[in-house]
């Protein structure tokens, strides 16, 4: 028995020491943590967005509208500025960014270890987050791919993406991505968008001062906005200029000159004055080239000065009513269009909405009479007229008896055009309207003669344009050319020769009649001015629509006033009041 016990003691192994057991425990714990961390990082990696898909993300094609002189009016769907590159930008633009955001950008890897260490020490000393250490590559990753949430998982994704970016792109390309994707103003992205919004210039044309002010915004776009907080922006822009000098990008003298030109940014011009026009042109673009997937430049016929004048005068004059204006050259180039008093309130374009033209349609009837041998001095009889149950009266219910054709026209009596239609036939009137461009839209009935068949202000203005275009056909147009960003022509207007519609003597007599309307005693006398050739008033039944269309030596301007719900206006509102006054203020004042 004693010998067996001795054997058992010899076979037993000594128990591991406490230190060794603790070391094994810590090693296992470390391995578990590594595995857990690797799993956590793997999960985060799997949750990352598709990098290639986002780099090549699609966006709505931007349409840039330009006026008749090639000046930009506004852009539709432009959420990003024009693409910029280190290779094509003036050096001081990207140098301002590097100088203030990441001066060692071209020397360190995806992350700046020295910068992060310095930022951590600074934050510890100040007891708050006083400095950041993110590299431009990290900021690019955050701007392009990630949300703004400050979480550990997002930071890990940022680091992964930073290494991925610098593995795929060189430093210049990463900087290009940053400059084109950074958000600085109004939800738009890219420094070019910021330059256009703040300084009304492209990134390629920015001065050193402007580049410094854009770079100053990168820290906190709202806080350092040259528009909202110019004093803070200018103060930080001075810091940017100082850093550019220290890093050898510019000279001290250049910095001093730039500092003197630092100033608050001018607000982006209000483009609502052009919105009815650009909406109209955009529909025209689609009709010309169909759908489009890339940016394009649309060269239009707009006169920006005239458009702004129209957009200012119209709401001042219409009061609680609505209104619309169309202005075009004698040959049909549309120079201005307002579809309402306030685009912000209503985007409905009344310039292309059908309404009853009233007496503004009467020139069509008188053209038939003139073409059949009458002259302004021919006598006609103004007396009650009826055909079946249709027996319209004159506006003031007064009849003048035997009067000249010119008097009947200038006083806009109703019986004379009805009697002329009875003489020459309703088909002759509709045929004349067709030659002028609107015949297919009219009803074959006597009420059409007094303007009961609806037409748009654009159509009505076109009728008068034919008269003042020496009787030649007019086809309104708003676009002269459409190109892609590289200048390749996608569409170009190819005008055809105008077709003679009216004989010279008919045109001469008609312009005499229209001139009489704006003289003393005519219904359009409020439109008179030294440069006004003539015009015509129109008021539909119940004062629901009031019109004036008139001309100067180089322009035809049509005006409509009314209510959207077709309710009558005051009986004092006729074509010879508010519409004639709007015309006068546009072309005379």
């Amino acid at each position: 028995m004693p010998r067996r016990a001795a054997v058992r003691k010899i076979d037993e192994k000594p128990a591991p020491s406490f230190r060794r057991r603790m070391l094994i425990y810590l090693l296992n714990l470390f391995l578990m943590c590594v595995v857990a961390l690797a799993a956590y990082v793997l999960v985060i990696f799997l949750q990352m967005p598709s990098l290639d898909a986002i780099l090549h993300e699609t966006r709505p094609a931007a349409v840039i509208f330009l006026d008749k002189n090639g000046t930009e009016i506004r852009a539709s769907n432009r959420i990003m500025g024009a693409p910029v590159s280190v290779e094509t930008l003036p050096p001081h633009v990207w140098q301002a960014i590097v100088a203030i955001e990441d001066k060692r950008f071209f020397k360190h890897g995806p992350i700046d270890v020295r910068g992060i260490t310095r930022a951590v020490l600074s934050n510890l000393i100040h007891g708050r987050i006083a400095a950041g250490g993110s590299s431009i590559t990290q900021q690019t990753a955050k701007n392009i791919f990630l949300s703004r949430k400050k979480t550990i998982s997002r930071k890990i994704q940022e680091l992964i993406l930073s290494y991925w970016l610098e593995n795929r792109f060189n430093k210049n390309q990463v900087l290009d991505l940053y400059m084109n994707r950074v958000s600085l103003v109004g939800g738009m992205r890219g420094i070019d968008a910021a330059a256009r919004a703040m300084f009304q210039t492209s990134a390629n044309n920015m001065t050193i001062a402007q580049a410094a002010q854009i770079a100053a915004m990168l820290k906190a776009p709202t806080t350092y906005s040259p528009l909202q907080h110019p004093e803070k922006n200018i103060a930080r822009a001075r810091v940017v200029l100082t850093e550019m000098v220290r890093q050898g990008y510019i000279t001290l003298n250049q910095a001093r000159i730039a500092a003197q030109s630092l100033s608050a940014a001018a607000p982006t011009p209000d483009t609502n004055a052009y919105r009815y026009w650009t909406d109209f042109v955009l529909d025209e673009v689609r009709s010309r080239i169909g759908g489009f997937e890339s940016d394009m430049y649309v060269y239009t016929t707009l006169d920006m000065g005239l458009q702004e004048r129209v957009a200012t005068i119209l709401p001042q004059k219409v009061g609680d009513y609505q209104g619309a204006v169309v202005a075009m050259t004698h040959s049909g180039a549309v120079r201005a269009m307002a579809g309402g008093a306030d685009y912000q309130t209503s985007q409905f374009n009344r310039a292309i909405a059908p309404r009853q033209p009233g007496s503004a349609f009467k020139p069509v009837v008188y053209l038939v009479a003139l073409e059949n041998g009458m002259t302004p001095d021919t006598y006609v009889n103004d007396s009650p007229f009826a055909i079946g149950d249709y027996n319209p009266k004159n506006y003031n219910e007064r009849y003048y008896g035997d009067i000249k054709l010119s008097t009947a026209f200038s006083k806009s009596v109703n019986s004379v055009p009805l009697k002329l239609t009875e003489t020459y036939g309703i088909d002759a009137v509709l045929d004349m309207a067709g030659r002028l461009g609107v015949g297919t839209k009219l009803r074959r009935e006597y009420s059409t003669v007094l303007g009961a068949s609806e037409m748009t202000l654009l159509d009505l203005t076109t009728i008068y344009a034919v008269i003042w275009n020496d009787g030649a056909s007019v086809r309104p147009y708003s676009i002269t050319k459409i190109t892609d960003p590289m200048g390749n022509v996608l569409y170009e207007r190819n005008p055809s020769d105008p077709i003679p519609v009216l004989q010279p003597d008919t045109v001469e007599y008609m312009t005499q009649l229209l001139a009489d309307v704006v003289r003393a005693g005519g219904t359009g006398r409020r439109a008179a001015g030294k440069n006004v050739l003539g015009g015509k008033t129109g008021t539909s039944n119940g004062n629901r629509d009031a019109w004036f269309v008139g001309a100067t030596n180089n322009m035809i301007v049509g005006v409509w006033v009314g209510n959207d719900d077709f309710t009558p206006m005051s009986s004092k509102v006729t074509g010879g009041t508010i519409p004639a006054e709007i015309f006068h203020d546009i072309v005379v004042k």
Side-chain angles (χ1 to χ4, degrees), residues 112-134 138 155:
D112 183 5
V113 177
R114 185 189 303 179
I116 293 175
T117 303
R118 184 172 58 252
V120 170
L121 292 175
S122 176
N123 294 337
L124 289 174
I125 293 172
H126 291 87
R128 59 185 176 84
I129 299 178
S134 294
Q138 288 175 269
K155 197 66 178 177

Side-chain angles (χ1 to χ4, degrees), residues 155-270:
K155 197 66 178 177
I156 293 174
Q157 287 181 327
E158 180 184 302
L159 293 174
I160 295 172
L161 286 168
S162 297
Y163 279 93
W164 180 83
L165 283 171
E166 292 218 0
N167 181 62
R168 177 163 180 174
F169 302 108
N170 62 41
K171 286 287 188 177
N172 282 358
Q173 292 171 325
V174 171
L175 185 54
D176 290 349
L177 283 171
Y178 177 72
M179 292 189 295
N180 284 308
R181 300 298 185 92
V182 65
S183 179
L184 294 175
V185 55
M188 297 177 66
R189 288 182 283 169
I191 63 168
D192 183 75
R196 293 176 188 275
M198 297 297 175
F199 304 114
Q200 289 77 58
T201 189
S202 67
N204 287 321
N205 293 322
M206 279 198 294
T207 64
I208 293 176
Q210 290 169 340
Q213 289 189 260
I214 293 294
M217 297 174 66
L218 295 170
K219 182 177 182 180
T222 301
T223 303
Y224 294 100
S225 167
L227 184 61
Q228 300 177 27
H229 303 288
E231 68 291 341
K232 292 182 179 180
N233 175 267
I234 290 172
R236 183 158 176 79
R238 292 181 186 277
V239 176
V240 174
L241 292 172
T242 300
E243 287 299 320
M244 292 179 75
V245 173
R246 286 177 177 173
Q247 295 167 44
Y249 289 136
I250 59 175
T251 66
L252 181 59
N253 188 54
Q254 286 177 306
R256 286 172 175 167
I257 294 172
Q260 292 174 356
S261 62
L262 296 172
S263 61
T268 303
D270 180 13

Side-chain angles (χ1 to χ4, degrees), residues 56-383:
H56 300 93
E57 66 177 341
T58 58
R59 60 176 176 80
V63 182
I64 297 88
F65 301 92
L66 303 106
D67 75 351
K68 66 185 182 70
N69 297 318
T71 302
E72 182 175 325
I73 302 169
R74 63 177 299 273
S76 173
N77 291 335
R78 185 162 63 189
I79 62 173
M80 296 177 68
V84 299
S85 168
V86 171
E87 301 297 329
T88 59
L89 280 171
H92 61 256
V93 175
W94 62 262
Q95 289 168 351
I97 294 171
V98 172
I100 195 64
E101 287 297 297
D102 190 356
K103 62 183 179 183
R104 299 184 60 254
F105 173 67
F106 292 101
K107 298 178 181 178
H108 62 65
I111 62 174
D112 183 5
V113 177
R114 185 189 303 179
I116 293 175
T117 303
R118 184 172 58 252
V120 170
L121 292 175
S122 176
N123 294 337
L124 289 174
I125 293 172
H126 291 87
R128 59 185 176 84
I129 299 178
S134 294
S135 67
I136 284 178
T137 306
Q138 288 175 269
Q139 293 181 54
T140 303
K142 179 174 61 178
N143 288 336
I144 298 178
F145 303 108
L146 304 174
S147 69
R148 296 290 180 177
K149 294 180 180 179
K150 295 182 178 181
T151 62
I152 295 176
S153 62
R154 190 201 62 75
K155 197 66 178 177
I156 293 174
Q157 287 181 327
E158 180 184 302
L159 293 174
I160 295 172
L161 286 168
S162 297
Y163 279 93
W164 180 83
L165 283 171
E166 292 218 0
N167 181 62
R168 177 163 180 174
F169 302 108
N170 62 41
K171 286 287 188 177
N172 282 358
Q173 292 171 325
V174 171
L175 185 54
D176 290 349
L177 283 171
Y178 177 72
M179 292 189 295
N180 284 308
R181 300 298 185 92
V182 65
S183 179
L184 294 175
V185 55
M188 297 177 66
R189 288 182 283 169
I191 63 168
D192 183 75
R196 293 176 188 275
M198 297 297 175
F199 304 114
Q200 289 77 58
T201 189
S202 67
N204 287 321
N205 293 322
M206 279 198 294
T207 64
I208 293 176
Q210 290 169 340
Q213 289 189 260
I214 293 294
M217 297 174 66
L218 295 170
K219 182 177 182 180
T222 301
T223 303
Y224 294 100
S225 167
L227 184 61
Q228 300 177 27
H229 303 288
E231 68 291 341
K232 292 182 179 180
N233 175 267
I234 290 172
R236 183 158 176 79
R238 292 181 186 277
V239 176
V240 174
L241 292 172
T242 300
E243 287 299 320
M244 292 179 75
V245 173
R246 286 177 177 173
Q247 295 167 44
Y249 289 136
I250 59 175
T251 66
L252 181 59
N253 188 54
Q254 286 177 306
R256 286 172 175 167
I257 294 172
Q260 292 174 356
S261 62
L262 296 172
S263 61
T268 303
D270 180 13
T271 60
N272 280 325
Y274 310 104
R275 292 299 300 276
Y276 289 112
W277 167 254
T278 55
D279 286 357
F280 171 76
V281 172
L282 189 57
D283 287 340
E284 292 289 299
V285 169
R286 293 191 177 102
S287 71
R288 295 286 184 275
I289 63 174
F292 47 89
E293 297 180 354
S294 61
D295 294 353
M296 64 179 64
Y297 289 80
V298 181
Y299 294 80
T300 77
T301 57
L302 187 78
D303 181 321
M304 291 179 69
L306 180 61
Q307 178 68 31
E308 290 174 4
R309 191 155 69 250
V310 167
T312 300
I313 292 170
L314 184 63
Q316 293 175 349
K317 301 294 291 189
V318 297
D320 294 332
Y321 302 123
Q322 266 296 353
V325 174
V326 169
M328 67 173 69
T329 64
H330 293 194
S331 59
V334 182
R335 296 297 190 210
M337 175 182 288
D342 180 18
Y343 185 87
Q344 289 286 71
T345 302
S346 171
Q347 290 78 54
F348 178 63
N349 190 345
R350 297 154 188 86
I352 54 175
R355 301 285 296 222
Q356 292 183 342
S359 296
F361 181 78
K362 289 176 181 176
V364 177
V365 184
Y366 281 81
L367 283 169
V368 173
L370 294 171
E371 200 165 62
N372 280 276
M374 284 191 172
T375 72
D377 293 330
T378 300
Y379 275 87
V380 291
N381 181 260
D382 176 32
S383 59

